[in-house]
Every structure is written in C-alpha cells, then in structure tokens.
Amino acid sequence: MAADCHTHRVSGGRELVSASDLAAPLTSLEFHPWYVAENFTQLPASFLENAPFAAALGECGIDHLRGASAAVQMRAFESVAEAAEKLKKPLVIHSVRGDNEIFAVLKNFSGKVLFHGFCHSVRRLDMLLEKGFFVSLAPYAWRKKELADRLKSDDFCRIGFETDDTNFLIDAVVADAARELDLPDLEARSCAVLTEFLEK
C-alpha cells in the first residue's frame, strides 16, 4: 500500500489527512490560508486544543491568488508555525506565489516542513530539497517530461505523493508513476518518505 503525504479524505490507508479536526489517525491539523478571516488575530481555541494530538500542523501558508490579504495570511501562518515549533510538530505548507515570505518565517524553524501539491519546475524542486524540505507531488505531476526526467534520477529522498482533494487513489497514482518512471519499489519509497516526515 502506497502512502499519501497529503489528502483531505480518510480512506483507511496510509495517509496524512489535512482536516480542521482530528479526523484520522494521522491528521494534519489545517489552518488553510483560503479560509483565514480578514480580522484574524489569533488561532482558535479548538485549534490549540487539538494541535498537541495531531501528527502535523497545516495545511497552512500563503496564497496570493485567493483568500484574505497577504498580511493577514502571514500573521495566521506565523501563528501556526509558532505552535508547531512549540509542540515540535512538522508543518504542511500551501504556497501559491508565497515562497519567499514562507522561507522568511521558516528561517528559524527547527522542525520538518513539507511543501504540498508540487507540480512546478525542476529548479523549484531542487531549491526546496536543498533547503531540507520535503515535497509532495500533486497527482500525476510526474507526467511533466522535465520533472519525470529529474525523478528518474532521484532516490526519492524527501519526495512523496499525494491525492489532495481529488478522487484519485494513491495506490493507482504511485503504481502509474512506478511504471512510467521504471521505479518498481516506489510504493515502499512513498511509505518511507511519509514515515521520515512524521518521525520525531
């Protein structure tokens, strides 16, 4: 069974479920930038009460195309990052044109960080990996030729797979990738990446 590094759906497999409550054994407690109120001042009590019991915190971050103003999203993201640092929890990041602001906040963050929904350039992939971050590939992102060529030469250190909010099944996504990239042990590698991300 393959591992899903980011999903919003509980399927009973090996998955990190992004949810606003403790919906699954491996819940990543989200405070999604799309839904941050413009009058945000502090994290809700329910988030702070559930955070110690979550496997990770986030999806959180910055989205310059949707949601509240960038300044408000930044305040919310900083609050989640502070909670993660205090609780020693890994962070799951949502970044749309917000990498530089996120990097600035994470400069002194000592925990593990996963950028989810990756479907961008090899240059950005390498930059994130060089910074020590984990990267979760959007469903079928590996079908982009440049990215596929890069992945064929990688040991999949800190690169995982996800289904996000799609109806795809992670086993099918990873099996297709294994065939196309000629990497028969990709299922096991996907599990190893999620395990490493969640390890204390």
Side-chain angles (χ1 to χ4, degrees), residues 42-179:
Q42 62 186 15
L43 292 170
S46 60
F47 182 94
L48 296 172
E49 288 165 7
N50 286 329
F53 307 103
L57 299 187
E59 172 175 6
C60 58
I62 300 167
D63 191 322
H64 281 284
L65 299 182
R66 184 172 172 183
S69 65
V72 170
Q73 289 187 38
M74 272 294 286
R75 282 201 306 273
F77 174 54
E78 287 168 349
S79 298
V80 177
E82 286 171 14
E85 183 72 43
K86 181 179 176 184
L87 295 168
K88 301 190 179 339
K89 298 287 183 182
L91 270 176
V92 177
I93 302 296
H94 173 109
S95 177
V96 176
R97 300 183 183 176
D99 283 0
N100 289 335
E101 292 115 311
I102 286 172
F103 296 159
V105 171
L106 296 177
K107 185 170 58 175
N108 298 315
F109 184 72
S110 63
K112 295 177 183 174
V113 175
L114 180 142
F115 276 71
H116 105 84
F118 187 89
C119 60
H120 305 283
S121 68
V122 167
R123 183 170 174 256
R124 183 173 182 238
L125 175 66
D126 287 338
M127 177 192 60
L128 293 173
L129 294 174
E130 284 167 14
K131 288 181 177 291
F133 300 139
F134 287 72
V135 176
S136 179
L137 300 174
Y140 300 101
W142 48 267
R143 287 186 174 166
K144 290 182 171 183
K145 184 180 184 325
E146 181 192 25
L147 198 50
D149 289 345
R150 165 69 175 77
L151 294 172
K152 285 176 186 175
S153 65
D154 197 276
D155 61 1
F156 276 81
C157 175
R158 289 181 279 111
I159 300 174
F161 295 84
E162 68 177 64
T163 57
D164 198 6
D165 58 1
T166 67
N167 289 322
F168 295 123
L169 299 176
I170 195 63
D171 287 332
V173 170
V174 173
D176 284 351
R179 275 192 303 275

